[in-house]
Amino acid sequence: MNLGHLNDKQREAVLYTEGALLILAGAGSGKTATMTHRIAHLLEEGVSPYNILAVTFTNKAAKEMRERIENLVGDMPNMWILTFHAMSLRILREYYETVGYKANFVVYDTVDQKTLLKNIIKSLNIDTKLFPQNYLASIISKEKERDVSPDEFLVREGDFGKAKTIYSVYSEYQKQLIKNNAMDFDDLLRYTLHILQQNPQAREKYQRRFKYIMVDEYQDTNHIQYEIVKIMAMGSRNLCVVGDDDQCIYQWRGADISNILNFEKDFQGTKVIKLEQNYRSYGNILSAAHSVIKNNKGRREKKLWTEKEEGNKIVYRRADTDKEEAQFVAQEISLLKSGAGYDDFAVLYRTNAQSRLLEDALRRRSIPYKILSGFSFYERKETKDMISYMRMVLNPSDDLAFKRIVNEPKRGVGPTTMAKLEALGSVGNQSLFEILLRDEIRFSLNKKPREAVTELLDMLMGLRQEAMNMSISDIYDVLLAKSGYMKALEVENTVEAESRIENLLDFRSFIADFEEEKKRNNEDATLEEFLEKVSTDSDADKYDENAGAVTLMTIHSAKGLEFPVVFLVGMEEGLFPSQRSLDSETGMEEERRLCYVGITRAKERLFLTSAAYRMMYGHGDFTIESTFLREIDPRVFDPAGDGVYNPRKNPRNNLGINTGSIDGYNKDAVKPYDPLKYAKTQVVEAAKDRGEDFQVGDQVTHSKFGFGIVIESGAKTITVNFEEGGPKKLAKGIAPLKKV
């Protein structure tokens, strides 16, 4: 393998393979290239892919790393290149019994967690004014990150006052998770640590297997992630961690910067290599970033440099109002658009609340944009509903999912009925699904809800029986059509309902993409893995660099991404740095790191903006310019950018957007292909028949088993003799069969 294109420090890191290694990789310094070449070098030296573990924080980063390594050395089916959560899931799927779970446990995302907490708060009659739901969720998450159980929390804090209420919620929350055979994100890591601590067989297995461990973004690890890595590395002690203390911006969600600052104390004999040559940004951008971050005391000394020229000066605009600030951003994007794509632009802000005016300004100029934030299409109501349906196929003990779908679409199962069912389930320690399988319970319902619930149960039971013989797309199509969900939206016949159908069919495309990716890798696309992906995807995973739109996002969400042109808006005291950070040195240092991350997302051009008057949360006030603006070396600023935008100083061609006609309508044009109509038809056709009217002797095809002949047809099952797989008994109305 040729390492000639790497710089001296990168090559040194690639070739240093034995013992503990800390790679301090500054922003844009080629850390991914270094890591991938290091792994490829190990493989060339004869190390088995089976013995290498690479851990990172996002699915996007893991996928990119695998693709790069495979480009260098070919396929590596046995190598673990995973996120912390995905790695934990693999371990938990094998050793779930160690922590008291069943094999088919599910993962609750943050929305599920909030729903469960809401129900618990209500059942315990807790005053939400004194104990807001988000506050309780935050406390529980922080305790789990410290690996503190409800009982340990009670011992530490005492059984009185505020602590007593928090304990009651935390304790009930964990009981409900176990009852539902579910884990939240924090549990994935926590229980994995418990397995490694309590199960010698598991611990020794992974210590023997992973002789070389690499951890990306080490500055973002929390206490439990640190402990997991430490235990796994105790076998070979060949641990390489890569990170940048200047980019530790997630302390608010558990990241412990001391993990990287104290790495040499924890692992004696550590070699430290600094990657300081930047390949991303021009000189003025790097100078601005360094002049801010150098003011932090809790950091390792390093300074990014580049062989590139200084490039354009940084433009700073002090607008009169926040509306003018947004208009300036939109105006500059329009002017700079010539010779660039909208993908080249990113607008970064400290809080999501800043996006509204920016959206308005971009819309007025017909500039396409997308918002990258925590509210993805996964969290739209209709998508969450269908995900809950899919979860019920995997795990019928999931009461949270069942409560979400039992009356979606309307089946006449109201709150009173659900309360009775929950009471029965609590007494018998049974799930709602199990309760309703009992004839005497189901027949106590009125006729309409009884029939509707019976249809729902039959469909779910049939899907559970057939799931192993069906693709995820097949399962999804059956759920969409036979649940009545899509039909109910069509009957509603509103613009909103049509939009929701589009979202559901867009999600279907997402499933197909997942299956296709698995197929390319010669892997099975399982429902279990798909639901795990949906629940663990992050903002960076959803970024599409070819979307043809300006990206609006928080600076936190932008970490790991880069753009030719970046606008960093809202540079005001109390906004950025945030109000909460102003009272503590550690808070200010994290805000300064966040500013450093924002600046270093820019490759070619950087614009900084503030507003003299800003309206936030319904209140308007005059502002003071950010501390960070005063820290930036004044020599990197464009002298023309003195707060007054003058197009005569910056003559550019404003091309705008050409839609082809004034109103976009051409009466003589042929009507285009209607993908929405086609997709709806596909779902209906895919879920239709499926064996209900098949007779003995009919020739059929199955999406998985191929050609066969019906040899028996019962009330609920159909038996088909397949050319390849022989006779198989399938669920009537569910199995993906078609007449030849």
Side-chain angles (χ1 to χ4, degrees):
M1 183 175 57
N2 181 15
L3 302 179
H5 61 290
L6 300 180
N7 65 42
D8 291 344
K9 290 296 183 181
Q10 289 173 331
R11 273 195 301 276
E12 185 181 2
V14 167
L15 298 173
Y16 190 90
T17 58
E18 305 300 312
L21 172 64
L22 169 60
I23 302 175
L24 291 171
S29 63
K31 72 179 177 71
T32 304
T34 304
M35 291 179 72
T36 53
H37 280 79
R38 188 174 188 273
I39 292 172
H41 172 67
L42 286 169
L43 295 169
E44 278 197 344
E45 292 293 300
V47 177
S48 168
Y50 182 79
N51 297 130
I52 298 174
L53 168 65
V55 190
T56 186
F57 275 82
T58 68
N59 293 317
K60 180 177 182 288
K63 181 182 177 183
E64 181 185 356
M65 190 182 296
R66 179 174 289 278
E67 287 174 349
R68 284 201 185 186
I69 296 169
E70 288 180 344
N71 287 337
L72 292 170
V73 297
D75 292 343
M76 311 162 302
N78 294 322
M79 186 186 297
W80 280 23
I81 303 178
L82 302 166
T83 64
F84 271 102
H85 288 102
M87 177 190 72
S88 298
L89 276 164
R90 285 201 183 181
I91 294 171
L92 283 161
R93 290 295 175 200
E94 186 172 357
Y95 293 100
Y96 53 86
E97 290 178 319
T98 300
V99 289
Y101 272 78
K102 292 179 279 190
N104 59 345
F105 69 84
V106 295
V107 182
Y108 279 3
D109 63 16
T110 51
V111 177
D112 299 322
Q113 180 192 30
K114 287 179 180 179
T115 303
L116 183 57
L117 276 174
K118 183 180 178 181
N119 294 340
I120 290 168
I121 291 167
K122 185 178 179 181
S123 68
L124 296 177
N125 293 317
I126 290 171
D127 187 346
T128 54
K129 291 180 181 178
L130 296 175
F131 296 93
Q133 178 184 301
N134 289 342
Y135 165 75
L136 290 169
S138 174
I139 292 290
I140 290 171
S141 181
K142 285 178 180 177
E143 294 304 326
K144 287 189 177 187
E145 284 171 0
R146 300 186 186 108
D147 194 21
V148 176
S149 69
D151 290 341
E152 288 169 335
F153 173 83
L154 189 66
V155 169
R156 190 189 74 208
E157 299 294 330
D159 188 15
F160 54 87
K162 209 172 187 179
K164 184 176 182 179
T165 303
I166 294 170
Y167 165 76
S168 67
V169 175
Y170 186 10
S171 177
E172 184 60 25
Y173 175 71
Q174 283 305 109
K175 288 176 185 175
Q176 289 294 323
L177 284 176
I178 294 167
K179 178 177 178 286
N180 290 350
N181 197 30
M183 299 182 190
D184 61 22
F185 288 158
D186 294 315
D187 286 334
L188 295 180
L189 301 176
R190 190 163 146 258
Y191 287 140
T192 297
L193 176 60
H194 293 178
I195 287 169
L196 295 174
Q197 290 173 332
Q198 299 166 14
N199 189 323
Q201 179 189 3
R203 181 172 62 250
E204 290 164 14
K205 171 185 172 179
Y206 292 114
Q207 286 178 346
R208 281 196 309 271
R209 173 175 178 176
F210 298 123
K211 295 176 181 175
Y212 295 90
I213 299 174
M214 293 188 69
V215 183
D216 190 15
E217 304 286 7
Y218 191 68
Q219 78 280 349
D220 292 335
T221 53
N222 62 25
H223 168 71
I224 290 183
Q225 289 162 335
Y226 160 80
E227 290 291 344
I228 289 171
V229 169
K230 188 175 180 180
I231 291 173
M232 282 189 152
M234 291 308 290
S236 66
R237 304 194 73 82
N238 292 327
L239 173 62
C240 169
V241 300
V242 185
D244 182 7
D245 51 305
D246 288 337
Q247 296 186 74
C248 180
I249 60 172
Y250 297 121
Q251 285 185 283
W252 53 275
R253 69 181 190 197
D256 187 351
I257 195 171
S258 67
N259 291 346
I260 193 167
L261 294 176
N262 298 330
F263 185 78
E264 294 148 285
K265 296 178 183 176
D266 296 330
F267 297 90
Q268 295 298 316
T270 294
K271 182 175 181 63
V272 180
I273 297 175
K274 297 179 183 179
L275 303 183
E276 297 172 289
Q277 183 176 356
N278 178 282
Y279 295 92
R280 176 189 297 159
S281 308
Y282 283 105
N284 282 323
I285 294 169
L286 296 182
S287 295
H290 182 71
S291 59
V292 171
I293 200 64
K294 71 179 183 181
N295 293 285
N296 272 5
K297 297 176 183 176
R299 67 183 293 266
R300 291 172 178 262
E301 183 55 41
K302 55 188 171 300
K303 183 178 182 181
L304 292 176
W305 60 276
T306 182
E307 290 181 344
K308 292 183 178 183
E309 57 193 36
E310 287 187 350
N312 287 298
K313 297 279 189 179
I314 295 168
V315 174
Y316 169 56
R317 165 73 184 213
R318 174 73 164 169
D320 288 339
T321 68
D322 47 2
K323 288 183 179 178
E324 286 186 17
E325 177 192 43
Q327 290 162 8
F328 168 76
V329 171
Q331 179 176 255
E332 284 295 298
I333 291 172
S334 290
L335 293 168
L336 289 168
K337 175 62 173 63
S338 178
Y342 285 119
D343 298 301
D344 291 343
F345 299 91
V347 185
L348 310 182
Y349 35 78
R350 181 63 181 83
T351 69
N352 280 307
Q354 291 169 256
S355 73
R356 180 177 60 84
L357 291 177
L358 293 162
E359 290 183 72
D360 290 344
L362 293 172
R363 277 197 295 265
R364 279 195 294 273
R365 287 184 173 266
S366 299
I367 296 174
Y369 69 90
K370 60 183 181 294
I371 297 180
L372 220 63
S373 71
F375 295 98
S376 70
F377 73 101
Y378 302 130
E379 294 169 7
R380 295 171 187 159
K381 181 189 181 304
E382 59 274 12
T383 314
K384 286 291 294 179
D385 287 345
M386 292 314 299
I387 289 171
S388 293
Y389 269 106
M390 297 166 87
R391 283 192 353 210
M392 284 302 297
V393 175
L394 184 68
N395 174 26
S397 298
D398 189 347
D399 280 358
L400 208 61
F402 188 79
K403 281 191 279 189
R404 186 175 186 102
I405 63 142
V406 69
N407 215 35
E408 290 288 345
K410 301 300 181 187
R411 295 187 175 93
V413 183
T416 304
T417 302
M418 287 304 299
K420 290 178 182 176
L421 295 173
E422 285 185 82
L424 287 168
S426 179
V427 171
N429 197 28
Q430 289 181 299
S431 69
L432 294 169
F433 187 89
E434 290 171 322
I435 287 291
L436 280 168
L437 285 177
R438 290 161 53 183
D439 289 344
E440 72 271 22
I441 301 296
R442 204 166 58 258
F443 278 88
S444 69
L445 303 175
N446 293 330
K447 183 181 178 183
K448 185 179 177 182
R450 180 175 72 243
E451 290 175 348
V453 167
T454 300
E455 280 184 22
L456 173 65
L457 296 176
D458 286 346
M459 179 190 69
L460 292 174
M461 291 290 284
L463 279 170
R464 280 185 55 73
Q465 178 184 328
E466 285 298 314
M468 293 297 291
N469 301 327
M470 298 171 72
S471 67
I472 306 169
S473 295
D474 283 329
I475 294 170
Y476 188 71
D477 285 345
V478 171
L479 289 169
L480 264 184
K482 291 188 176 290
S483 68
Y485 198 99
M486 195 163 79
K487 182 67 176 176
L489 290 174
E490 288 178 327
V491 170
E492 188 178 319
N493 195 28
T494 62
V495 173
E496 182 184 1
E498 189 73 1
S499 176
R500 290 172 66 187
I501 290 172
E502 289 176 3
N503 293 337
L504 288 169
L505 296 175
D506 187 36
F507 192 56
R508 187 170 177 260
S509 299
F510 180 67
I511 293 171
D513 289 342
F514 175 79
E515 290 176 322
E516 186 59 35
E517 181 180 346
K518 285 292 181 180
K519 187 177 179 181
R520 285 197 301 269
N521 295 329
N522 294 317
E523 297 174 353
D524 291 328
T526 65
L527 178 61
E528 177 181 279
E529 192 172 354
F530 175 74
L531 290 175
E532 288 168 359
K533 175 180 173 59
V534 167
S535 64
T536 58
D537 262 358
S538 68
D539 290 343
D541 295 321
K542 297 164 203 153
Y543 170 62
D544 177 5
E545 62 185 16
N546 298 311
V550 175
T551 301
L552 274 61
M553 64 200 308
T554 64
I555 308 169
H556 281 103
S557 296
K559 186 157 179 293
L561 305 177
E562 58 183 39
F563 304 88
V565 184
V566 168
F567 292 83
L568 200 51
V569 301
M571 301 293 292
E572 298 145 26
E573 212 76 355
L575 182 56
F576 192 34
S578 68
Q579 193 69 44
R580 283 178 295 180
S581 70
L582 298 177
D583 295 331
S584 74
E585 186 174 345
T586 56
M588 272 299 292
E589 295 215 342
E590 175 144 358
E591 290 289 298
R592 196 172 277 116
R593 291 193 293 270
L594 191 60
C595 183
Y596 174 84
V597 166
I599 291 172
T600 54
R601 297 313 94 195
K603 296 164 70 175
E604 300 169 13
R605 299 293 306 272
L606 176 64
F607 292 79
L608 306 175
T609 67
S610 68
Y613 181 88
R614 182 175 300 277
M615 178 76 75
M616 289 287 287
Y617 311 117
H619 175 70
D621 209 345
F622 292 97
T623 72
I624 300 171
E625 291 166 293
S626 170
T627 299
F628 305 143
L629 289 170
R630 297 192 291 275
E631 292 177 348
I632 294 175
D633 186 342
R635 290 173 295 183
V636 305
F637 284 114
D638 184 345
D642 57 1
V644 180
Y645 177 74
N646 186 341
R648 285 173 296 183
K649 293 182 182 178
N650 301 276
R652 302 186 185 101
N653 181 23
N654 182 3
L655 297 178
I657 297 177
N658 183 4
T659 62
S661 65
I662 293 174
D663 59 1
Y665 171 72
N666 183 348
K667 66 182 178 66
D668 298 322
V670 177
K671 283 190 177 181
Y673 160 72
D674 186 349
L676 178 62
K677 183 178 179 181
Y678 177 74
K680 284 197 285 189
T681 303
Q682 262 196 322
V683 170
V684 174
E685 290 298 319
K688 199 168 66 175
D689 295 335
R690 291 183 173 260
E692 282 108 329
D693 300 321
F694 292 4
Q695 305 297 319
V696 173
D698 282 347
Q699 296 181 356
V700 297
T701 58
H702 186 283
S703 62
K704 183 173 181 180
F705 301 124
F707 177 81
I709 296 175
V710 178
I711 59 175
E712 186 180 333
S713 181
K716 291 192 174 182
T717 62
I718 183 169
T719 305
V720 180
N721 190 22
F722 292 101
E723 269 188 344
E724 297 292 336
K728 293 189 182 294
K729 185 173 284 190
L730 307 171
K732 210 170 192 179
I734 298 293
L737 291 168
K738 288 183 181 178
K739 281 186 184 180
V740 175

